[in-house]
Amino acid sequence: MKLSKLTTAVVLGVAAAQVNAATDDINVSAIINVGYTDREDFQGIAGYGVDDHAAGLKNGFWTDHTEIAISAPIDDMFFGKVTMVLDEHDGETEVELEEAFIQTTAMPYDLSFRAGRFLSNVGYLNGKHTHTDSFADRPLVYRAFMNGHYYDDGARLSWLAPTDAYIELGTEVFKGATMPAYSDGEGIGAHSLFVKTGGDFNESNSWQVGASYIGFKNDEAHCSSHDHGEDEHEPHALDEEHEEDHGEAFGACDFSGDKDYYIVDATWKWAPNGNYKYQNFTLSAEYFLVEEKGELHHEEEHEEHINVFDEDHHDEIDVEHTGYYVSGVYQFTPNWAAGLRYSEIDFDEPYSDGFKPKVSTAMLEYRHSHFSTIRLQYSQDKSTEHFTDDQVTLQFNMALGAHGAHQF
Amino acid sequence: MLPAQAQLNIFACEPEYAALAKELAADDANIFSATTAKQDPHFVQARPSLISKMRRADVVICAGADLEIGWLPMLQMKSNNLDVQSTEKGLFLASDHVENLDIPVKVDRSMGDVHELGNPHVHLDPFRVADLATAFTAKLVQLDVKNSEVYQHNLNDFIKRWQTATAKWQQQAKPLKGLKVIAYHSSFKYMFEFLGMQQVGDLEPKPGLPPTSSHLLSVLDIVKQQQVKLVVYTGYQDEKAANWLQDKTDILSLQLPYTVGGNKHAKDLFSLMEQHISMLLLASQKQ
């Protein structure tokens, strides 16, 4: 009896060891991101055409952006990663494939190539997973212009300059199939260029700056969005009386033409003697210049006899928006961090005639370990004129499984 | 293979491995340490400067056993350097080459930030360091065959000096045998094993979690019950918990260098070990 038990134990032990050996290099991780938000319904960002993702956190309980990721070296030449994200829209849970890419690990001439679906590397935040953010939602400027974050099917080539200083150059081409891109889907609907550099001022202070361009060729005929309500681009009953002074609200698909983004980003990190465990501070900022050249669709109400009907109009537009965010996060003990963020957008007409949407955010977070964060966040949201929303969020952001390495 | 006359660029994750490389590499090698003795190697940022350093590396030498899991894979990915992606080429992970302590039978996160592959702080046991020197020399020879005689000569010279020193340390450390100690994290486990010391408590409630007041009260009980005289920590760990314990009892709080550069006398692997032993001897005599 004893002997057979021992045999079973040995067999199990061997089996477990084999499983370990086979899965050694495969990283499986899940991010559980749940919380509760108290806020008013999303009313848009000035009159700009945005998708439902731009709304930020939903009112009440949410399980937004809970994700499962699997990554591993494929062989000595390739690395691969798949990320599935669960998102909710109108009460339905949707599974989105956010990443499915291969990347070379051993190309000559300091080159690296990535293909598949992945997050564009423009800007500072876009290439990062939202669960590594220091705030519960993306800054206003990202929600308005990047739909939170821009990922798509495409390819990237990047090159690390053979210099003592870190200089990375990269270019990407995308299909243009996910917001904020909606191209005809045949060929290349978006392309980008970016350069990043950085270094250390000294042992305690490090920095990184980047400049990026991304251009979209959008066509309203090929747009499908999670629009926030079918009739959103018609004036709300509530808004009607203000119609005159704050411009028209447009849908996410109302623009056709070229959208060009120019982004600069800068990040500074400090930790005493470079020891990040007990105390550190991160200051980061990004500035967006967005040009739209093309046609803007809108509906105009006409009255003929007793019939009232909407007539489609297309106006030529050539407009320029700017926006930015600045955020500072101070981790003052291994367990506690606090942060402030401000984001503002200056939209051109006809999306806004002078009103600048802005959001101020403060957060306090407790990290029990490297893997669990509980965050309390307050935002004063002035996304639409004549209305200020006080938003309070309690977020639980936790990681199961493999401990991923983080970007600077 | 390297062209003739080329200098070997060695990227060390921690100062102790930069020091090991300095003993064994050819004179003209460029050796860079990614961290200092003041930085906890668990919490290093994949900084731009480290990416450009790794891009140029011919050899990357690190502790391994997932110690650098939060940053090394990102540096490898971003550096586009095909020479340092795998241990078959220029990557050398120390804990692959020695027997590791503290390998858990079962790992789950309720245990804290435990390393599945065991305790990665392998550089504080002189016997293991000798094995690492031999293994790392093999790596240098593999990558730079034409200098193999230089490497073999350096290894022989190092081993001879190291063995003499090890014998001396064993002699000196005799009074430390059986000495009970509280430590911060499992940073010194390998050295305690070499010196025959006994770590009876840890200031961390679980690996990677900072000391809590309730946990420190339980450590206080251990100190009282087992008559522990010494609590040790290192430069990148917060001294508050150790000092609190010192205030509450007659235990002595001692900051050890842990790695090369950890104090002004710890200039290489030899003086590091000498520092540890002499500081521990002095502290144990004070009691």
Side-chain angles (χ1 to χ4, degrees), chain B residues 172-219:
Chain B
Q172 289 173 336
K174 274 183 179 162
L176 296 172
K177 263 212 171 58
L179 186 72
K180 286 178 180 169
V181 63
I182 306 279
Y184 196 129
H185 195 66
S186 49
S187 310
F188 298 99
K189 277 281 178 72
Y190 290 91
M191 185 173 72
F192 295 152
E193 189 204 42
F194 172 73
L195 300 174
M197 290 166 62
Q198 230 189 317
Q199 182 174 342
V200 294
D202 195 320
L203 294 175
E204 289 184 333
K206 281 171 182 170
L209 301 188
T212 58
S213 42
S214 60
H215 175 72
L216 287 180
L217 287 175
S218 73
V219 176

Side-chain angles (χ1 to χ4, degrees), chain A residues 203-204 270-276 278-281 330, chain B residues 38-39:
Chain A
E203 210 172 65
S204 306
W270 167 85
N273 300 313
N275 190 18
Y276 280 80
Y278 297 96
Q279 269 187 81
N280 61 72
F281 178 72
Y330 178 44
Chain B
K38 289 172 185 158
Q39 298 168 353

Side-chain angles (χ1 to χ4, degrees), chain A residues 129-148:
Chain A
H129 285 273
T130 49
H131 67 85
T132 64
D133 288 7
S134 293
F135 296 87
D137 55 356
R138 283 267 149 120
L140 179 70
V141 67
Y142 259 81
R143 289 193 281 116
F145 292 137
M146 303 300 271
N147 204 33

Side-chain angles (χ1 to χ4, degrees), chain A residues 79 103 105 110 112 161-162 164 166 200 203 206 269 273-275 277-278 368-369 371 399 401 405-407, chain B residues 36 38-40 43 45-49 52 55-56 70 74 77-80 85 109 184 209 236-238:
Chain A
F79 166 89
Q103 174 161 342
T105 49
D110 299 309
S112 142
D164 280 358
Y166 163 77
D200 300 328
E203 210 172 65
S206 304
K269 292 195 185 192
N273 300 313
N275 190 18
K277 181 170 182 177
Y278 297 96
H368 180 67
S369 72
F371 311 99
H406 291 172
Q407 295 188 54
Chain B
T36 71
K38 289 172 185 158
Q39 298 168 353
D40 188 332
F43 293 88
Q45 294 274 325
R47 305 194 307 273
S49 62
S52 58
R55 185 193 63 77
R56 280 167 291 160
M74 187 55 72
M77 171 85 85
K78 293 231 154 196
S79 67
N80 298 357
Q85 301 294 333
R109 288 275 180 69
Y184 196 129
L209 301 188
Y236 62 69
Q237 293 161 340
D238 194 358

Side-chain angles (χ1 to χ4, degrees), chain A residues 24-246:
Chain A
D24 240 9
D25 285 341
I26 295 190
N27 297 312
V28 181
S29 68
I31 304 295
I32 298 177
N33 186 36
V34 297
Y36 184 89
T37 298
D38 181 56
R39 62 172 288 182
E40 296 298 326
D41 284 343
F42 180 59
Q43 302 282 330
I45 301 171
Y48 198 59
V50 289
D51 179 273
D52 206 21
H53 280 99
L57 301 161
K58 290 163 196 73
N59 192 28
F61 283 106
W62 45 262
T63 52
D64 210 21
H65 236 87
T66 286
E67 65 171 61
I68 295 168
I70 302 171
S71 68
I74 294 164
D75 52 29
D76 57 346
M77 186 69 189
F78 297 105
F79 166 89
K81 187 175 183 193
V82 177
T83 306
M84 310 290 289
V85 173
L86 301 181
D87 253 329
E88 250 183 57
H89 295 286
D90 303 323
E92 281 179 39
T93 302
E94 292 178 5
V95 179
E96 289 171 1
L97 182 66
E98 190 174 275
E99 285 180 311
F101 68 81
I102 56 105
Q103 174 161 342
T104 61
T105 49
M107 250 170 92
Y109 307 112
D110 299 309
L111 289 166
S112 142
F113 178 74
R114 179 181 282 206
R117 177 172 296 190
F118 55 91
L119 293 157
S120 169
N121 204 21
V122 296
Y124 177 68
L125 276 184
N126 198 73
K128 293 170 176 287
H129 285 273
T130 49
H131 67 85
T132 64
D133 288 7
S134 293
F135 296 87
D137 55 356
R138 283 267 149 120
L140 179 70
V141 67
Y142 259 81
R143 289 193 281 116
F145 292 137
M146 303 300 271
N147 204 33
H149 56 333
Y150 173 57
Y151 65 88
D152 207 340
D153 295 352
R156 173 197 298 164
L157 186 67
S158 61
W159 176 68
L160 208 55
T163 50
D164 280 358
Y166 163 77
I167 301 169
E168 186 188 354
L169 291 169
T171 181
E172 299 162 324
V173 286
F174 293 106
K175 186 177 175 179
T178 55
M179 282 286 173
Y182 46 93
S183 76
D184 59 15
E186 294 158 18
I188 293 165
H191 61 284
S192 80
L193 282 169
F194 58 85
V195 54
K196 290 170 195 272
T197 182
D200 300 328
F201 292 121
N202 51 39
E203 210 172 65
S204 306
N205 294 282
S206 304
W207 58 278
Q208 182 180 299
V209 297
S212 327
Y213 160 80
I214 185 161
F216 302 103
K217 283 200 184 312
N218 285 353
D219 181 348
E220 63 171 294
H222 298 274
C223 179
S224 69
S225 74
H226 293 289
D227 221 336
H228 51 284
E230 276 300 290
D231 56 357
E232 197 61 35
H233 38 253
E234 288 177 36
H236 276 265
L238 178 93
D239 294 341
E240 213 147 17
E241 55 186 303
H242 304 301
E243 183 62 18
E244 286 304 302
D245 50 43
H246 73 145

Side-chain angles (χ1 to χ4, degrees), chain B residues 18 21 27 30 37 44 92-93 128 132 139 170 210 247 262 265-266 272 282:
Chain B
D27 286 339
N30 293 316
V44 172
F92 182 90
L93 300 175
R128 284 182 173 83
L132 289 176
K139 178 58 73 181
Q170 281 179 303
D247 291 342
H265 303 293
L272 172 66
L282 197 66

